[in-house]
Amino acid sequence: GRCAAAIDAQHNSRCEDGVRQPTRHACWISLIGAAAAAAMVALVSSAVALEPSERLADPALEARARALSAELRCVVCQNQSIDDSDAELAKDLRVKVRERLNAGDTDAEVKDFLVARYGEFVLLRPRVTLQTTLLWAAPALLLALAVWLLMRMRAVQTAGDAQVAPLTREEQARLNELLKSDDARGRD
């Protein structure tokens, strides 16, 4: 009935020049297709970063090298692992990781070697140290300090308002006299 007619009207809608307008369904299909294409490009580009000449003959060592490369940041690209990056420095780092693994280094020794050369920044997931803890906790600590200061200032302000004692009868009488004399002067 009414729903079918609405769908047919939307499906057959045309612009003034007679060209069919895309439906919502067609738009969603286009969007999903674009997302799939982008995902495929990302997968292909990450697979291309590792050159065949860099691969190790031992599959176990190659798997360790790939796992380590995924944990190390390309210092040129900054938000990519050396495994995903095509930068020349990333290639050099991938080769260096494989050389160290061939020499018998453990994963921790390879990381320590690269951290000694490039600093903690080379690790995509930095180690938890006092510095990194302070770095991550600083915003929350500053926010807590600001809230505490605001509450303290509010408490002092409220306490200051509460500490004002009411006027005695003599003070109130004197104030009334002063106000009357000011009113009398203002009328003149």
Side-chain angles (χ1 to χ4, degrees):
R2 198 185 287 175
C3 291
I7 291 172
D8 285 342
Q10 181 185 12
H11 183 69
N12 293 325
S13 63
R14 297 181 184 276
C15 292
E16 293 173 5
D17 59 359
V19 178
R20 250 176 106 156
Q21 294 178 346
T23 63
R24 285 187 185 169
H25 182 69
C27 291
W28 277 107
I29 290 174
S30 298
L31 184 63
I32 291 170
M40 291 172 70
V41 167
L43 287 173
V44 169
S45 68
S46 67
V48 174
L50 182 67
E51 297 175 10
S53 62
E54 297 175 35
R55 294 187 191 275
L56 295 172
D58 182 0
L61 276 181
E62 179 60 29
R64 281 180 56 204
R66 291 296 297 256
L68 271 172
S69 295
E71 296 177 23
L72 298 170
R73 181 186 320 270
C74 174
V75 293
V76 175
C77 306
Q78 297 189 3
N79 281 333
Q80 277 187 314
S81 69
I82 62 170
D83 202 33
D84 295 333
S85 175
D86 289 325
E88 204 52 43
L89 181 61
K91 179 184 178 203
D92 294 343
L93 289 174
R94 288 191 302 266
V95 169
K96 185 56 76 177
V97 165
R98 284 163 174 76
E99 285 174 3
R100 303 293 296 191
L101 289 175
N102 269 333
D105 286 1
T106 65
D107 293 359
E109 289 171 334
V110 172
K111 285 182 185 179
D112 290 341
F113 173 78
L114 293 172
V115 166
R117 289 182 117 182
Y118 298 100
E120 286 282 325
F121 183 73
V122 78
L123 300 175
L124 279 173
R125 281 181 268 145
R127 298 171 180 151
V128 178
T129 63
L130 180 60
Q131 280 181 320
T132 55
T133 303
L134 286 175
L135 180 67
W136 284 98
L141 292 174
L142 289 174
L143 180 63
L145 178 65
V147 168
W148 180 81
L149 285 173
L150 287 173
M151 290 174 56
R152 183 80 177 130
M153 288 171 40
R154 180 80 170 135
V156 167
Q157 182 182 18
T158 305
D161 292 345
Q163 290 178 359
V164 175
L167 297 175
T168 62
R169 287 184 186 170
E170 295 83 27
E171 293 170 334
Q172 188 65 46
R174 175 77 177 128
L175 178 62
N176 288 339
E177 285 176 28
L178 290 172
L179 289 174
K180 284 181 185 177
S181 66
D182 280 347
D183 283 345
R185 284 189 212 145
R187 289 184 203 155
D188 294 336

